[in-house]
Amino acid sequence: MYLPFAALLGLILGSFYSVCASRYGTENTIFKPSRSRCPHCKHQLTIRENIPLISFILQKGRCRHCKTRIPLFYPLIELTSMCWAVLAAMHTSSPAEWITLMVVGGICIVASAIDLRTFLLPDVLTYSGAVLVLLASYAGFLQVTFVDALLGAVIGAFALWAIAALYKLIRKIDGMGLGDVKFMFMLGALVGWQQLSILILVASSCALVFCIISLRGKSNLATTYIPFGPFLASGALITYLFGEQIIAFLR
Ligand SMILES: [Zn+2]
């Protein structure tokens, strides 16, 4: 696989993902307005101001007109998309697998970004993602067999639902949304039932590191709501590519 091509495609797709994620739940749609605007001064971005990642770096993270800081959210989505495209290209054995992983990664990135912004995981993404992964495993595009994927989806979603139900029983508040459980159909299918524990381990580790960094000094840790979707997605994508290495490392 040609890595610079993968990186470029990842950046362009990342720009599209940030549009999807930032417009979800607003009056805008993916196609309207056709050009992005500065969220602060509403100035319509020129092509030069809209180059993924490059514009952000050249403009030192500020709008060229009103000089307001551009949220790091957008370039981070583009960077994540680029990294995923390259990593997937390095670790896949066939073009069909890479294309499948690009779509899966895209769904994961958009869903995670929407979860971070709105605390919601849209059904249209989680359900279609699950169907896509199951179909791809059936077609032999992925490194997981159809039966393992199906078991991964069902057991993974059930395990997460059980954890959420138990948490609610003990703490009397919702700790995890039903969206996370639905998301797990897709993510569990991607890694297969055998690696579900690795997925949960990686996701929890990422969430723990995030909590330690972002909630330092805040006293309301127990009541702060943290969207778990991005961590589940990271856990699944990392496990798919590096699951064997993680198991070897743990041993
Ligand atoms: Zn502006």
Side-chain angles (χ1 to χ4, degrees):
M1 186 60 69
Y2 193 50
L3 293 183
F5 165 74
L8 187 66
L9 185 69
L11 266 185
I12 295 167
L13 287 173
S15 180
F16 171 66
Y17 300 155
S18 73
V19 168
C20 296
S22 62
R23 292 184 185 180
Y24 176 80
T26 68
E27 72 271 26
N28 296 328
T29 66
I30 295 171
F31 305 104
K32 230 178 109 185
S34 57
R35 287 267 199 83
S36 293
R37 292 170 184 274
C38 163
H40 189 249
C41 68
K42 308 291 178 213
H43 153 73
Q44 189 171 303
L45 303 186
T46 62
I47 292 172
R48 222 185 99 195
E49 292 165 306
N50 215 358
I51 308 166
L53 215 55
I54 309 289
S55 300
F56 182 83
I57 296 166
L58 288 180
Q59 293 165 213
K60 298 188 177 72
R62 287 178 188 277
C63 168
R64 258 184 14 151
H65 285 252
C66 66
K67 304 291 173 206
T68 306
R69 268 193 191 285
I70 302 166
L72 233 108
F73 189 66
Y74 303 108
L76 274 183
I77 292 175
E78 290 160 1
L79 190 65
T80 307
S81 172
M82 183 183 82
C83 292
W84 173 248
V86 172
L87 280 175
M90 286 167 69
H91 289 86
T92 47
S93 48
S94 72
E97 187 186 10
W98 183 68
I99 292 167
T100 306
L101 287 184
M102 287 299 284
V103 181
V104 167
I107 293 174
C108 283
I109 291 169
V110 174
S112 300
I114 290 175
D115 196 14
L116 281 172
R117 228 195 81 224
T118 65
F119 299 109
L120 290 170
L121 282 164
D123 284 350
V124 63
L125 291 175
T126 53
Y127 284 148
S128 57
V131 172
L132 170 87
V133 172
L134 288 172
L135 284 178
S137 69
Y138 187 76
F141 292 168
L142 293 170
Q143 287 166 28
V144 57
T145 67
F146 177 68
V147 175
D148 290 347
L150 194 62
L151 286 173
V154 175
I155 298 172
F158 178 76
L160 213 61
W161 173 82
I163 294 171
L166 196 70
Y167 186 87
K168 193 173 180 182
L169 201 72
I170 298 168
R171 296 286 312 275
K172 311 273 186 249
I173 49 167
D174 278 317
M176 212 179 298
L178 208 58
D180 294 320
V181 175
K182 293 174 190 167
F183 202 15
M184 200 59 188
F185 278 117
M186 171 193 184
L187 304 175
L190 181 70
V191 301
W193 67 274
Q194 297 93 332
Q195 297 203 327
L196 279 174
S197 50
I198 303 296
L199 187 168
I200 298 293
L201 181 74
V202 176
S204 315
S205 309
C206 293
L208 190 68
V209 172
F210 175 83
C211 288
I212 292 169
I213 293 171
S214 70
L215 300 176
R216 246 181 330 182
K218 291 184 187 169
S219 55
N220 55 345
L221 184 69
T223 52
T224 305
Y225 185 74
I226 299 151
F228 206 51
F231 303 113
L232 287 176
S234 311
L237 296 179
I238 291 170
T239 301
Y240 184 85
L241 294 186
F242 304 107
E244 297 299 328
Q245 285 98 317
I246 294 171
I247 292 169
F249 174 77
L250 290 174
R251 281 190 182 140

